Amino acid sequence: DTPHGALRLNPHAPSGFWCDFDELKAAKPQSVYTLSKPQWLDPATDRRQELDLKALGAQVESAPQCVGVVTDDGQLQRWFIVRRGWFDDLEPEAIS
């Protein structure tokens, strides 16, 4: 039984991470791939066009970007990358 107001989420749905561009660079991913919006929640997302981090840095200045990040263990994860300072600009109630 679900508590009143709680959402039932599919535990098998793809999940991802939010971070700013500096945090992505610090993670030193093996590869970063473009993901189009229809691929954001698609569990069968194939790797697409590999991104240059410098180009991605320019893209996130105008809008957050969802990318596929290949980790050291070869896993493809979805990361939403935002510009530097994006989290600082949020109202505290927006993230609590």
Side-chain angles (χ1 to χ4, degrees):
D1 205 8
T2 312
H4 179 69
L7 296 176
R8 291 179 185 235
L9 300 176
N10 180 351
H12 304 292
S15 61
F17 304 95
W18 283 81
C19 69
D20 71 20
F21 184 69
D22 289 337
E23 291 170 310
L24 172 69
K25 287 189 334 185
K28 299 180 181 174
Q30 278 187 7
S31 304
V32 178
Y33 292 90
T34 301
L35 294 180
S36 65
K37 194 168 185 177
Q39 295 172 315
W40 290 2
L41 297 177
D42 181 357
T45 297
D46 292 326
R47 295 178 187 165
R48 299 291 186 217
Q49 176 185 353
E50 189 163 355
L51 281 171
D52 173 70
L53 286 184
K54 186 176 179 180
L56 178 60
Q59 290 173 353
V60 300
E61 288 301 317
S62 60
Q65 302 291 313
C66 182
V67 297
V69 174
V70 179
T71 60
D72 286 338
D73 61 0
Q75 297 294 314
L76 178 67
Q77 300 175 339
R78 286 159 185 79
W79 289 28
F80 285 88
I81 312 301
V82 296
R83 66 173 169 73
R84 294 170 188 94
W86 188 87
F87 293 106
D88 298 332
D89 295 341
L90 292 177
E91 296 294 327
E93 60 272 6
I95 55 175
S96 60

